Amino acid sequence: MSIDYIHELNANQCAAVMYNEGPSLVIAGAGSGKTRVLIYKIAYLLEHGYEPWNILALTFTNKAAREMKERIGKSVGEERARRLWMGTFHSIFSRILRAEAAHLGFTPQFTIYDTADSKSLIRSIVKEMGLNEKVYQPGSIQARISNAKNRLVSPSAYAASKEVFESDNAANMPAVRDIYSRYWDRCRQSGAMDFDDLLFYTFILFRDFPEILEKYRAQFRYVLVDEYQDTNFAQHKIVLQLSKVSRMLCVVGDDAQSIYSFRGANIDNILDFPNLFPQTKTFKLEQNYRSTQTIVGAANSLIEKNERRIRKDVFSEKERGEAIGVFQAYSDVEEAEIVMNKIVEMRCRKGYEYADFVILYRTNAQSRVLEEVLRKRSIPYKIYGGLSFYHRKEIKDAIAYFRLIVNPNDEEAFKRIINYPARGIGNTTLGKIIDSAVNRHVSLWQVITEPVTYGLDINKGTLSKLQAFRELIETFMDMQYEKNAYEVGVEVIRKSGIMNEVSRDNTPENLSRKENIEELVNGMHDFCSEHLEEGNGNVSLTDFLSEVSLLTDQDSDKEGDDRKVTLMTIHSAKGLEFPNVFVVGLEENLFPNRMIESPQAMEEERRLFYVAITRAEEHCFLSFAKSRFRYGKMEFSSPSRFLRDIDTCYLSLPEEAGIRTQVDERAKKFRNEQRERKIVSSPEPAVPRTLKRVGAMLPSPASRSSAPFPDLQVGQMIEHERFGVGEVMKIEEAGDNMKATIRFRNAGDKQLLLRFARLKILNT
């Protein structure tokens, strides 16, 4: 059945679909119907002389390819749709490589190594070479090799590069080039390719065997590429190999949504496309079908601040919609409370379901505070594309230390950390410990405490390592009776080597792990501080674990995910849409991220914010906190520069007038007050050095007079560093036991023990 393109597409979409005279670049703004254009474009080609096997359509996810093929099948028939060469770069290229394997010295049955296989092989090579496994970590080595392959750098070219060697040497890993060479050879010997090889070998195949390249050029009369802004160097070069001669190529994407440089994506691939193909016809899909006019206008005013971009005027013909709400909070805790209050209010007043809300954040670590407030409010939620905070590996590793300190007979905790971080106690030794424990009916801990008594058959070197581990844990055991959970946690993270382990390099994975560990310490501080303020002296490590175990048990409920608030990083949100979007943590050094070092990276951060805003269909809310507990101390936070990039006509700003100019003065005042109360010390270097001393120590009874806040009266307004502004509703008892019930604007009623309370009186 023929498609009525003119009536089923808008003018720009139709023009992009029906153009078939040379290379074309389709710039598809957010919510502009990109997938619809790709589907209709392929259907149009099939109706105008192209056979299914003549069309190569490359995507980035199997899900996208599958959905597109299904929708095309409804238009041109399932049989024809099935014969399309449509799929991810890796799936299509592996298909070609299996057909042409002999040219590269492989068999068609070659194995494809996944990430775990690659790391395992690298680990073996490092061990064989006698290198320090703590320095040459598989994840770090794999990242360097992957980066090289995606830049089409062979082992020999890698070894010959002075720049690469200096980089490896600076990271104390000069042997990476030798590892890469061995890894390459071992993969070939095993008849295996990793994911990056699927790209690299396809490029080599086309480069070294012109007849093979000509064969596929003749077959693929038309090439389409989705999300072209996300292509890396290798993907870009292969596309050029296939289409440079015929020039029948259509690439679709949005430079404003290029946010994956950490994966190797190169925005220049789409920006420079017209230069590579001078006859390129550019089509701009500028009508947004997703969002209100206000949301689209705000996003436009933001992205206009980027210099390196393809100019377009995205518009919406939907209703104007409400202004984007900007929330200012005293702390990350109050920020979470504000967001939850708004969700509850919108459910009651506008009839939204929980699934209609998403909370977006820049880093995974930010989920902890949000999760805890959601749980306290009994609001169901799910983490999209990741694990709940206390289920993340690095957090479970740290918690295992805490569990073993409190209960040395905890077998699972023992097995998890006996060789984490690596201390030379392998599986063979662990097996012997388990055998001894089972045979003697004792715990694993008892075996290493008295190895001779329990007949543990190990050499002196291994015995020494076990003794060092036992002494480390015993030190923490003694500490738990003298210090609170936060203080013990800081010492464990530092002395166990966990922080050094996750700070080994600056790969995105390790940066996330490091932030999560820092956030765990922040959470322990919050736990102790809140308990003391509420007059609850149960702040030991055992008390903390009791609370955490209840939280993680609740996390295991996976039912009804479609009726839950969604939490996710902004990177995970690309391609998704929600009626109501909250973007939290819009503060300098958080968003934009503190690791930003170049103007190009800052522009990518701005594009990331653009992606966040354009996920919203009906309502968008932005929030920032004036203070955030980070790196062992309370830090003042200033609003993100990106908030100033949005035209204020699209924003509903906090109540106080002139927030843009007032914020700096409030910052100075707030910082001075904090210094006076010795809550914040001078700026400190980043973790792990911060963790070498316990910063922001919790207040002790001796730090207050016996009559704290003698002038406090019912009806007064106070300001609390975490809960914000509140009114004193009741005062009870006197002296050290004086308590105040305070009704906070966003956090509700709290009863605080005043000798521990961190507040100031706003009026007298």
Side-chain angles (χ1 to χ4, degrees):
M1 184 173 66
S2 180
I3 300 172
D4 186 353
Y5 296 97
I6 293 176
H7 291 97
E8 294 184 30
L9 300 167
N10 67 36
N12 285 4
Q13 289 174 334
C14 189
V17 164
M18 300 178 72
Y19 181 76
N20 189 22
E21 299 174 21
S24 61
L25 170 63
V26 180
I27 301 299
S32 63
K34 169 179 67 70
T35 302
R36 185 178 181 85
V37 166
L38 278 168
I39 291 167
Y40 277 61
K41 178 84 175 179
I42 293 170
Y44 182 83
L45 293 172
L46 292 173
E47 286 184 0
H48 290 79
Y50 288 84
E51 296 297 338
W53 53 87
N54 293 146
I55 299 171
L56 172 63
L58 297 168
T59 67
F60 272 85
T61 66
N62 287 308
K63 179 182 177 184
R66 188 166 52 250
E67 290 178 354
M68 287 170 61
K69 195 172 287 189
E70 288 174 358
R71 289 170 64 178
I72 291 168
K74 292 177 181 178
S75 300
V76 302
E78 292 183 5
E79 180 59 30
R80 297 197 79 197
R82 271 199 297 270
R83 300 173 75 180
L84 286 165
W85 277 65
M86 174 182 284
T88 64
F89 282 87
H90 293 91
S91 66
I92 293 294
F93 294 161
S94 66
R95 184 176 171 184
I96 292 173
L97 288 170
R98 290 198 187 280
E100 313 296 343
H103 292 85
L104 296 167
F106 286 85
T107 68
Q109 293 76 35
F110 66 80
T111 301
I112 298 176
Y113 279 174
D114 63 15
T115 302
D117 295 324
S118 298
K119 286 183 178 179
S120 178
L121 177 54
I122 291 170
R123 186 178 293 108
S124 298
I125 292 170
V126 167
K127 193 170 184 179
E128 291 163 11
M129 293 176 66
L131 299 171
N132 187 336
E133 294 179 48
K134 292 183 179 180
V135 175
Y136 290 91
Q137 296 183 323
S140 301
I141 305 300
Q142 184 188 45
R144 288 174 181 264
I145 293 175
S146 175
N147 186 45
K149 289 183 177 181
N150 286 327
R151 288 183 289 112
L152 302 177
V153 177
S154 67
S156 58
Y158 192 97
S161 171
K162 181 181 177 182
E163 181 183 350
V164 167
F165 180 74
E166 288 176 351
S167 173
D168 289 344
N169 210 35
N172 198 29
M173 295 190 293
V176 171
R177 57 184 181 181
D178 299 317
I179 298 171
Y180 182 15
S181 181
R182 290 196 187 198
Y183 175 77
W184 179 277
D185 292 340
R186 292 279 282 276
C187 284
R188 289 191 64 88
Q189 290 167 16
S190 301
M193 297 185 193
D194 62 23
F195 287 130
D196 300 312
D197 285 331
L198 297 176
L199 302 179
F200 203 164
Y201 276 116
T202 300
F203 173 79
I204 292 172
L205 177 70
F206 292 158
R207 182 195 66 189
D208 296 350
F209 300 92
E211 70 280 9
I212 301 298
L213 176 58
E214 287 305 318
K215 169 185 169 182
Y216 286 99
R217 279 177 173 172
Q219 177 179 337
F220 301 136
R221 294 173 53 205
Y222 206 102
V223 178
L224 299 100
V225 186
D226 189 16
E227 304 285 11
Y228 204 69
Q229 77 280 350
D230 293 336
T231 54
N232 62 29
F233 182 74
Q235 292 162 331
H236 175 65
K237 294 296 285 187
I238 297 168
V239 169
L240 292 184
Q241 285 176 315
L242 287 168
S243 54
K244 194 71 174 177
V245 175
S246 73
R247 309 175 79 76
M248 300 307 290
L249 167 67
C250 174
V251 301
V252 182
D254 183 7
D255 58 295
Q257 297 185 65
S258 179
I259 60 173
Y260 293 127
S261 65
F262 65 93
R263 295 181 186 169
N266 186 353
I267 192 175
D268 290 336
N269 293 347
I270 194 167
L271 294 179
D272 294 341
F273 187 84
N275 297 328
L276 289 169
F277 295 91
Q279 290 78 37
T280 294
K281 180 81 171 176
T282 299
F283 301 91
K284 296 180 181 180
L285 308 185
E286 297 174 307
Q287 182 170 354
N288 180 301
Y289 292 92
R290 175 189 300 157
S291 309
T292 64
Q293 294 179 33
T294 295
I295 292 169
V296 169
N300 284 344
S301 68
L302 168 74
I303 205 63
E304 283 173 0
K305 307 305 185 294
N306 274 8
E307 293 184 9
R308 299 179 73 246
R309 64 188 177 90
I310 297 172
R311 299 184 182 279
K312 56 183 177 295
D313 184 20
V314 180
F315 66 95
S316 171
E317 292 185 352
K318 294 183 72 175
E319 68 277 6
R320 180 169 181 78
E322 296 179 15
I324 292 177
V326 179
F327 300 137
Q328 174 180 263
Y330 280 81
S331 68
D332 49 353
V333 173
E334 192 193 29
E335 178 184 48
E337 295 282 4
I338 290 171
V339 170
M340 301 319 142
N341 287 343
K342 192 67 181 177
I343 289 174
V344 171
E345 174 198 329
M346 293 179 72
R347 283 191 79 232
C348 293
R349 292 179 55 190
K350 301 190 177 184
Y352 287 111
E353 298 295 329
Y354 283 128
D356 294 327
F357 298 92
V358 66
I359 306 172
L360 303 178
Y361 36 79
R362 177 64 180 82
T363 65
N364 275 305
Q366 290 170 258
S367 78
R368 182 192 64 83
V369 174
L370 295 163
E371 288 185 67
E372 292 185 3
V373 172
L374 281 160
R375 289 192 193 97
K376 289 176 183 176
R377 297 290 195 90
S378 298
I379 296 175
Y381 71 92
K382 63 178 179 179
I383 305 287
Y384 180 93
L387 295 171
S388 181
F389 184 79
Y390 287 105
H391 279 171
R392 294 166 192 163
K393 179 188 179 299
E394 58 275 14
I395 301 302
K396 294 182 78 170
D397 290 335
I399 294 293
Y401 269 94
F402 302 157
R403 284 168 50 187
L404 195 65
I405 293 163
V406 169
N407 173 21
N409 294 323
D410 186 328
E411 179 175 331
E412 293 306 310
F414 182 99
K415 290 191 291 188
R416 188 175 187 98
I417 66 169
I418 182 66
N419 197 42
Y420 180 81
R423 51 176 61 90
I425 302 173
N427 289 333
T428 300
T429 301
L430 178 58
K432 290 180 179 180
I433 296 171
I434 293 172
D435 288 342
S436 295
V438 170
N439 293 335
R440 303 298 181 97
H441 304 289
V442 294
S443 69
L444 307 185
W445 178 259
Q446 286 175 282
V447 171
I448 70 165
T449 303
E450 300 179 68
V452 176
T453 301
Y454 294 111
L456 186 59
D457 181 20
I458 54 175
N459 60 39
K460 287 185 178 180
T462 303
L463 182 63
S464 176
K465 293 171 184 175
L466 286 177
Q467 183 177 349
F469 172 69
R470 176 175 56 81
E471 290 173 353
L472 175 70
I473 300 301
E474 286 176 342
T475 300
F476 297 145
M477 288 177 180
D478 294 338
M479 193 183 296
Q480 70 172 317
Y481 301 112
E482 303 170 1
K483 299 177 181 289
N484 61 46
Y486 166 68
E487 294 166 333
V488 175
V490 168
E491 293 298 305
V492 170
I493 298 303
R494 179 176 67 87
K495 291 182 178 178
S496 68
I498 289 177
M499 185 54 77
N500 286 336
E501 180 80 4
V502 298
S503 302
R504 187 71 59 186
D505 56 49
N506 287 331
T507 59
E509 295 78 14
N510 265 1
L511 287 174
S512 180
R513 293 185 188 107
K514 179 181 173 183
E515 289 167 347
N516 288 338
I517 290 294
E518 291 165 354
E519 188 58 29
L520 173 64
V521 175
N522 295 345
M524 298 179 83
H525 183 280
D526 285 349
F527 168 83
C528 294
S529 183
E530 288 177 16
H531 275 57
L532 290 173
E533 282 193 310
E534 293 168 1
N536 183 347
N538 298 322
V539 292
S540 70
L541 190 60
T542 301
D543 299 319
F544 175 74
L545 286 174
S546 295
E547 183 162 304
V548 167
S549 65
L550 294 175
L551 298 180
T552 53
D553 284 347
Q554 185 175 340
D555 284 345
S556 63
D557 178 18
K558 295 295 181 183
E559 295 180 5
D561 276 0
D562 58 341
R563 296 189 296 276
K564 298 180 178 182
V565 174
T566 301
L567 277 67
M568 68 173 80
T569 63
I570 303 170
H571 281 101
S572 299
K574 186 170 176 290
L576 303 177
E577 55 191 42
F578 294 85
N580 308 296
V581 171
F582 292 86
V583 188
V584 300
L586 280 161
E587 301 140 31
E588 286 294 304
N589 297 321
L590 183 56
F591 194 12
N593 190 273
R594 68 182 188 275
M595 301 298 292
I596 298 304
E597 297 177 350
S598 68
Q600 292 82 3
M602 186 61 71
E603 290 205 345
E604 178 158 329
E605 285 287 288
R606 189 176 285 109
R607 292 195 294 269
L608 188 61
F609 187 28
Y610 175 86
V611 167
I613 292 173
T614 55
R615 298 311 94 197
E617 298 171 340
E618 299 170 22
H619 300 94
C620 184
F621 303 96
L622 314 174
S623 65
F624 64 93
K626 295 193 293 181
S627 64
R628 196 173 289 268
F629 192 83
R630 301 174 74 184
Y631 318 136
K633 63 184 186 340
M634 183 67 76
E635 286 191 345
F636 172 78
S637 305
S638 57
S640 169
R641 70 190 71 186
F642 295 153
L643 286 170
R644 296 191 295 274
D645 288 341
I646 301 175
D647 192 319
T648 54
C649 71
Y650 300 112
L651 302 177
S652 173
L653 293 165
E655 292 178 2
E656 54 262 46
I659 181 175
R660 302 266 192 232
T661 55
Q662 287 190 15
V663 121
D664 289 338
E665 290 302 315
R666 291 181 66 85
K668 292 176 185 176
K669 182 180 178 184
F670 185 84
R671 192 183 294 112
N672 290 336
E673 289 168 352
Q674 298 286 53
R675 285 201 185 102
E676 288 171 9
R677 293 166 57 198
K678 298 182 180 179
I679 292 174
V680 179
S681 60
S682 59
E684 298 184 36
V687 176
R689 280 182 288 173
T690 304
L691 292 179
K692 290 182 179 178
R693 56 191 179 280
V694 181
M697 293 297 294
L698 297 170
S700 63
S703 68
R704 296 281 193 185
S705 66
S706 58
F709 304 106
D711 300 326
L712 192 67
Q713 299 175 18
V714 171
Q716 286 182 323
M717 301 300 293
I718 62 92
E719 180 181 277
H720 189 276
E721 74 171 31
R722 285 200 320 280
F723 303 130
V725 173
E727 180 182 357
V728 179
M729 307 302 294
K730 185 193 295 185
I731 298 175
E732 302 173 82
E733 303 186 41
D736 283 352
N737 294 321
M738 182 182 289
K739 298 178 182 177
T741 299
I742 301 171
R743 180 161 296 165
F744 292 99
R745 289 176 182 171
N746 296 297
D749 289 0
K750 304 279 184 182
Q751 187 180 67
L752 305 181
L753 189 63
L754 292 181
R755 63 178 169 142
F756 290 121
R758 298 187 172 195
L759 53 83
K760 68 176 183 179
I761 301 171
L762 294 180
N763 57 9
T764 56

